[in-house]
Amino acid sequence: TSTDIAAANWPSLVTHLRAKGLTYNEGITGQKSAFDVTGWAIVSNVATLTFANTTAENALLTALTEDNLVHGSYSNWRSITLAGAIGTISAGEYAITAIDPLTRTISFAFTAADGSASGTFTANFYTNRVSGSSTTARVYEATGRTLVSANDGENISGLRRRDRGQGHYHIPTSLTGNDIGSSNTAGSFINFFNGSYSSTLYSTREPKTDGVNGTPRTGSTTDPRSAVGHLYLWGQNFSS
């Protein structure tokens, strides 16, 4: 859920929140807040930007996709900000309508003639801005969600994500001789899921669905469903 607050009632807080940019942070290479765009296209009044195939941009798209899943839809969600025109797409702030991390694209509504081109551009993201308004800030509820948004050892500030487990191996022990019965042969092992024997020593690092709780979410880190700390914002409502 989210709440939109107006500068008329929360002047200092809205100004502060609107200035908070979405930043990629990595301990070695530093941080990035202007993300590289390599191409643009307009088809049927929908603009699509293609982002660079680099670490920061890929992490950004992955984190935005996760935040959108937590939010539940593209309605009343995030915006993308163009400080300058990209091709025939005017500078401005636009409500995101689609993200595809596989093709590295973000789309939004833009009325103009169809066209496309490659180039070198940048786009910014501000975590609390509302498309179409310069005097409003959007505040998101983060109850029961991870506030520390680690992404494979990196951090994408200001986005929500779900819990996940770290990929790891499960290697069964190879049996020798008659360790567990005369029917056993050297080098075989028991399949503890169905009790059968196999002559091949298998190993896996893929957590499997149990048929009830869906496919497990995995990553290079184990992230909890919620953070231990609590984030508070205090503001004065000048209408009261």
Side-chain angles (χ1 to χ4, degrees):
T1 59
S2 61
T3 301
D4 292 350
I5 59 176
N9 297 328
W10 310 84
S12 297
L13 181 57
V14 167
T15 300
H16 170 74
L17 291 176
R18 286 183 53 81
K20 293 175 68 65
L22 190 62
T23 304
Y24 165 86
N25 300 282
E26 200 276 327
I28 297 176
T29 61
Q31 67 180 33
K32 189 172 189 177
S33 57
F35 296 92
D36 296 331
V37 175
T38 60
W40 63 274
I42 301 174
V43 178
S44 301
N45 295 327
V46 174
T48 299
L49 301 182
T50 300
F51 286 79
N53 187 18
T54 52
T55 301
E57 282 68 23
N58 286 327
L60 165 78
L61 293 167
T62 299
L64 279 170
T65 301
E66 181 80 358
D67 187 82
N68 178 255
L69 290 172
V70 173
H71 189 68
S73 73
Y74 288 101
S75 300
N76 301 319
W77 188 58
R78 307 285 181 180
S79 63
I80 182 172
T81 301
L82 310 184
I86 295 182
T88 60
I89 306 172
S90 305
E93 199 156 50
Y94 303 96
I96 297 172
T97 58
I99 300 174
D100 189 337
L102 297 180
T103 59
R104 306 188 313 279
T105 57
I106 288 178
S107 299
F108 48 89
F110 183 76
T111 303
D114 290 359
S116 63
S118 302
T120 302
F121 316 97
T122 58
N124 299 81
F125 302 83
Y126 294 88
T127 57
N128 301 97
R129 291 194 180 184
V130 179
S131 174
S133 173
S134 61
T135 59
T136 306
R138 179 163 290 153
V139 180
Y140 294 89
E141 180 182 346
T143 302
R145 302 297 181 185
T146 303
L147 301 180
V148 180
S149 304
N151 186 312
D152 296 335
E154 304 142 347
N155 175 273
I156 304 293
S157 60
L159 296 180
R160 301 158 295 177
R161 67 175 303 145
R162 302 169 297 173
D163 56 346
R164 69 181 187 181
Q166 187 173 4
H168 54 281
Y169 280 110
H170 289 274
I171 303 178
T173 301
S174 177
L175 304 174
T176 59
N178 294 324
D179 287 344
I180 58 171
S182 59
S183 62
N184 180 43
T185 57
S188 68
F189 74 96
I190 280 189
N191 183 330
F192 290 99
F193 294 98
N194 60 26
S196 62
Y197 287 95
S198 173
S199 60
T200 304
L201 184 61
Y202 291 102
S203 63
T204 180
R205 60 172 136 192
E206 291 185 22
K208 299 295 186 182
T209 177
D210 59 5
V212 176
N213 298 305
T215 302
R217 292 182 294 273
T218 60
S220 64
T221 59
T222 295
D223 301 332
R225 181 175 177 84
S226 58
V228 175
H230 297 276
L231 176 65
Y232 290 93
L233 291 175
W234 298 93
Q236 172 65 48
N237 187 331
F238 286 90
S239 65
S240 59

